[in-house]
């Protein structure tokens, strides 16, 4: 039977009642219990209070026995750990997990101490406003004027007075990726966390060697991602019967201004293709394939030769190659279930791939035993599969070197989609080719392109009708 305890104010008046239900004992013999507080209405009589209090106690005990009532006093920090272990690790992509881990470092200091049952919309609004107004150090980077080639063994033909640590050794001892070491040697920015680890390994003083870059405020779109993370954790609490309602459903995150997808126009696309013809492999073919198919960077890096059907001019997308600082390069399933797809390609693209395959076979013959067999389509001259980031970096240098407009690599996917839309390809066909979960996604991303296509259609209709009318009048 549930226990009932009166709760009194300083004057000794009963203001509420604590209802407690025993839930047995844990493995250490500690009694487990669940509690709730019930506050009577001001106009209730003593008999009414007693009757309703007993009813509330019975209902609460029933909920506890049926597993419908979990302690809502659990802190948001502890709940997030439950969510991460029981849900996130088994259901989310690695890139999403890495991103959420970084975001939780900002979320938990702000609301982690609050019991999930007491988390209110105003707590979330306060947090979101803080993100928008203050400078957040969750992704702080730093740079150094120091030449780290003076501390690390690099192959520059020089002899050193003292033995130096190799790049791989430094990466391993500092628990950072080899890509971070390469950035450091090139003088690029790296995260503060990695910089401090490297300084500790090399025996350097962080503040004397590195300077932090200016911090910037978080954009509304990023705040919306924080909202999605918190909402996912709260939804998990609802499913576990810890709380009845997700407090995030009563909060409106900041309005995000819609950004139009950036893409190349017809003239820019032609110039890009012409300029690519004198560029080296494998990037010459890789960039063209991204443009002609609209596949994602990771999908291209994940292509194996068995995925290309040369008899039927079809490319099958089966995997995605991604990179995170924590895990390095890894293979995963495509972004969504509909991203597993077959894409029809033209004879021209098949010709490009055949020419590239000849180049790869020549490199394999030159390397002989040094060739690294991976069965991947896109590799470097030694057979090592292309790193996803290397394609993006090469494309940025290529645009700068040739005076082309700077666009991110992903814009080639937008360009491919835009060309299809402008040439009257049905929405569903474009959506399936891109691997979107539904046609609505395609319509939302390329709404401005569809508007332009509609305007062109209207003008074309005018031209046809007025031409016919003019011919009839002249006749």
């Amino acid at each position: 039977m549930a226990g009932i305890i009166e709760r009194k104010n300083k004057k000794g008046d009963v203001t509420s009642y604590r209802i407690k239900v025993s839930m047995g004992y844990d493995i250490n013999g500690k009694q487990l219990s669940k509690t709730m507080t019930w506050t009577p209405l001001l106009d209730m009589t003593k008999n009414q209070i007693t009757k309703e209090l007993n009813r509330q106690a019975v209902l609460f005990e029933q909920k506890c026995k049926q597993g419908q009532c979990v302690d809502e006093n659990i802190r948001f920090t502890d709940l997030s750990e439950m969510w991460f272990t029981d849900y996130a690790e088994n259901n989310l992509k690695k890139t999403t997990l890495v991103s959420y881990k970084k975001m939780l470092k900002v979320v938990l200091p702000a609301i982690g101490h609050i019991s999930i049952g007491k988390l209110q919309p105003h707590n979330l609004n306060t947090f979101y406003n803080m993100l928008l107004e203050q400078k957040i150090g969750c992704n702080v980077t730093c740079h150094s004027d120091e030449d780290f080639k003076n501390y690390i063994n690099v192959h520059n033909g020089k002899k050193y007075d003292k033995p130096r640590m190799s790049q791989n050794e430094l990466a391993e001892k500092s628990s950072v990726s080899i890509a971070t070491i390469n950035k450091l040697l090139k003088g690029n920015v790296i995260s503060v966390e990695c910089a401090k680890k490297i300084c500790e390994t090399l025996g350097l003083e962080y503040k004397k060697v590195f300077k932090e870059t200016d911090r910037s405020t978080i954009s509304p779109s990023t705040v919306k991602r924080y909202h999605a993370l918190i909402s996912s954790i709260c939804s998990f609490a609802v499913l576990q019967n810890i709380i009845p309602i997700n407090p995030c459903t009563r909060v409106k995150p900041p309005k995000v201004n819609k950004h139009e997808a950036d893409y190349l126009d017809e003239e820019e696309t032609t110039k890009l293709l012409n300029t690519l013809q004198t560029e080296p492999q494998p990037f010459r073919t890789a960039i063209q394939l991204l443009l002609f198919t609209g596949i994602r960077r990771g999908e291209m890096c994940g292509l194996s030769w068995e995925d290309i059907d040369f008899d039927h001019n079809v490319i099958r997308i089966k995997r995605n190659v991604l990179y995170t600082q924590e895990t390095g390069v890894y293979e995963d399933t495509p972004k969504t279930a509909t991203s597993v797809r077959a894409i029809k390609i033209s004879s021209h693209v098949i010709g490009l791939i055949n020419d590239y395959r000849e180049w790869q076979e020549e490199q394999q013959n030159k390397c002989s035993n040094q060739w690294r067999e991976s069965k991947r389509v896109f590799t470097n001259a030694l057979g090592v599969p292309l790193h996803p980031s290397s394609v993006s970096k090469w494309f940025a240098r290529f645009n700068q070197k040739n005076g082309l407009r700077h666009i991110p690599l992903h814009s080639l996917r937008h360009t491919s989609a835009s060309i299809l839309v402008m040439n009257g390809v049905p929405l569903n066909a474009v959506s399936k080719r891109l691997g979107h979960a539904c046609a609505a996604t395609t319509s939302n991303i390329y709404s401005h392109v569809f508007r332009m296509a509609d305007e062109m259609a209207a003008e074309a209709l005018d031209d046809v009708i007025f031409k016919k009318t003019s011919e009839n009048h002249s006749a």
Side-chain angles (χ1 to χ4, degrees):
M1 183 175 176
I4 299 174
I5 303 171
E6 294 179 344
R7 302 184 70 189
K8 300 179 181 180
N9 59 20
K10 292 180 180 180
K11 296 179 180 181
D13 300 325
V14 176
T15 56
S16 62
Y17 298 85
R18 175 66 57 87
I19 302 173
K20 184 177 181 179
V21 175
S22 176
M23 299 297 292
Y25 298 85
D26 64 12
I27 58 174
N28 298 316
K30 182 180 178 181
Q31 186 179 21
L32 301 174
S33 62
K34 297 190 181 301
T35 60
M36 71 163 282
T37 300
W38 178 74
T39 303
L41 298 175
L42 295 175
D43 59 350
M44 293 180 75
T45 65
K46 190 174 181 179
N47 288 337
Q48 287 175 329
I49 291 175
T50 302
K51 185 176 180 180
E52 181 61 23
L53 179 59
N54 289 330
R55 192 179 78 87
Q56 291 289 338
V58 171
L59 289 174
F60 182 63
E61 186 174 18
Q62 287 177 349
K63 286 184 178 180
C64 291
K65 299 301 183 185
Q66 293 171 3
Q68 296 178 357
C69 185
V70 184
D71 191 358
E72 62 181 18
N73 292 319
I74 182 173
R75 296 181 308 156
F76 187 84
T77 294
D78 300 322
L79 177 64
S80 68
E81 292 176 1
M82 286 176 54
W83 168 83
F84 206 89
T85 303
D86 298 344
Y87 172 76
E89 288 185 335
N90 299 321
N91 293 278
L92 301 180
K93 298 283 187 181
K94 285 184 180 180
T95 48
T96 306
L97 285 175
V98 170
S99 176
Y100 278 176
K101 278 183 180 179
K102 291 179 179 178
M103 291 165 67
L104 280 171
K105 291 179 180 179
V106 179
V107 174
L108 297 182
I111 63 172
H113 62 286
I114 303 175
S115 300
I116 186 62
K118 295 181 180 179
L119 185 62
Q120 297 296 318
H122 72 85
N123 299 125
L124 300 177
N125 286 326
T126 300
F127 173 59
Y128 297 155
N129 289 332
M130 181 197 75
L131 292 178
L132 290 169
E133 295 171 3
Q134 296 184 6
K135 294 186 176 181
I136 306 300
C138 56
N139 291 313
V140 182
T141 57
C142 59
H143 69 280
S144 177
D145 295 329
E146 190 80 22
D147 187 359
F148 273 82
K149 292 177 183 177
N150 295 326
Y151 302 96
I152 305 172
N153 184 22
V154 292
H155 301 291
N156 54 10
K158 293 182 180 180
K159 293 184 178 180
Y160 305 114
D161 297 332
K162 298 179 181 179
R164 293 189 178 187
M165 202 177 295
S166 69
Q167 297 177 43
N168 287 327
E169 188 180 359
L170 177 59
E172 185 176 347
K173 287 188 175 182
S174 304
S175 298
V176 301
S177 68
I178 190 66
T180 299
I181 303 300
N182 289 331
K183 287 181 181 179
L184 184 66
L185 291 172
K186 293 177 182 178
N188 296 334
V189 297
I190 62 173
S191 71
V192 168
E193 183 181 0
C194 289
K196 288 181 177 179
K197 289 179 180 178
I198 292 170
C199 284
E200 185 179 351
T201 303
L202 294 175
L204 301 173
E205 190 174 337
Y206 167 74
K207 290 185 178 180
K208 289 184 177 180
V209 179
F210 285 94
K211 294 179 181 178
E212 293 185 6
T213 54
D214 292 333
R215 303 181 184 187
S216 58
T217 53
I218 288 179
S219 66
S221 60
T222 303
V223 174
K224 196 170 184 179
R225 292 189 64 232
Y226 276 95
H227 178 72
L229 166 60
I230 297 171
S231 182
S232 178
I233 296 173
C234 291
S235 293
F236 171 79
V238 173
L239 289 173
Q240 298 299 315
N241 291 314
I242 298 174
I243 53 175
I245 300 173
N246 182 347
C248 293
T249 59
R250 293 179 286 159
V251 176
K252 285 188 176 181
K255 185 178 180 181
V256 179
N257 294 325
K258 189 174 181 180
H259 294 285
E260 295 182 351
D262 192 14
Y263 62 93
L264 301 175
D265 60 27
E266 187 176 338
E267 184 178 341
E268 289 174 319
T269 304
T270 302
K271 187 176 181 180
L272 171 72
L273 290 172
N274 290 337
T275 310
L276 277 171
Q277 302 313 307
T278 56
E279 295 299 318
Q281 297 285 19
F283 299 106
R284 180 173 72 219
T285 301
I287 299 302
Q288 291 184 84
L289 187 68
L290 288 173
L291 180 62
F292 284 115
T293 61
I295 61 177
R296 301 176 178 94
R297 181 186 70 175
E299 294 171 344
M300 181 202 71
C301 291
L303 284 176
S304 295
W305 283 111
E306 64 181 15
D307 299 328
I308 302 177
D309 185 342
F310 288 92
D311 295 329
H312 301 93
N313 292 16
V314 171
I315 291 179
R316 291 182 174 83
I317 305 300
K318 299 178 180 177
R319 65 193 69 82
N320 202 13
V321 172
L322 302 163
Y323 168 81
T324 66
Q325 188 173 329
E326 289 74 9
T327 60
V329 178
Y330 66 95
E331 183 180 306
D332 201 351
T333 55
K335 189 174 181 179
T336 62
T338 51
S339 293
V340 179
R341 62 199 188 279
I343 298 175
K344 190 76 175 180
I345 54 178
S346 66
S347 298
H348 170 73
V349 176
I350 283 290
L352 292 175
I353 297 174
N354 275 324
D355 291 343
Y356 166 75
R357 184 163 60 172
E358 289 180 10
W359 171 85
Q360 192 181 72
E361 289 172 352
E362 289 176 6
Q363 300 307 310
Q364 186 174 1
N365 292 332
K366 288 179 183 178
C367 293
S368 186
N369 295 334
Q370 292 183 330
W371 179 262
R372 178 177 166 180
E373 183 57 55
S374 66
K375 296 184 179 180
R376 286 282 165 80
V377 174
F378 290 102
T379 65
N380 64 15
L382 295 175
V384 178
L386 283 186
H387 191 295
S389 298
S390 68
V391 186
S392 299
K393 291 176 180 177
W394 184 90
F395 186 62
R397 292 194 299 269
F398 163 77
N399 284 330
Q400 185 177 15
K401 179 182 71 173
N402 294 286
L404 301 176
R405 180 162 68 90
H406 173 71
I407 59 168
L409 186 71
H410 196 72
S411 288
L412 295 178
R413 176 173 166 86
H414 296 324
T415 301
S416 179
S418 300
I419 291 172
L420 294 175
V421 171
M422 297 297 285
N423 283 274
V425 177
L427 173 61
N428 284 337
V430 177
S431 181
K432 288 180 180 178
R433 190 173 179 86
L434 295 176
H436 285 159
C438 61
T441 302
T442 313
S443 180
N444 289 334
I445 296 174
Y446 303 106
S447 58
H448 59 297
V449 182
F450 280 101
R451 286 196 302 271
M452 291 175 60
D454 189 47
E455 291 172 4
M456 291 174 62
E459 292 175 2
L461 191 62
D462 279 355
D463 290 341
V464 172
I465 292 175
F466 285 126
K467 183 178 180 181
K468 291 289 184 182
T469 304
S470 177
E471 288 176 354
N472 291 335
H473 281 311
S474 60

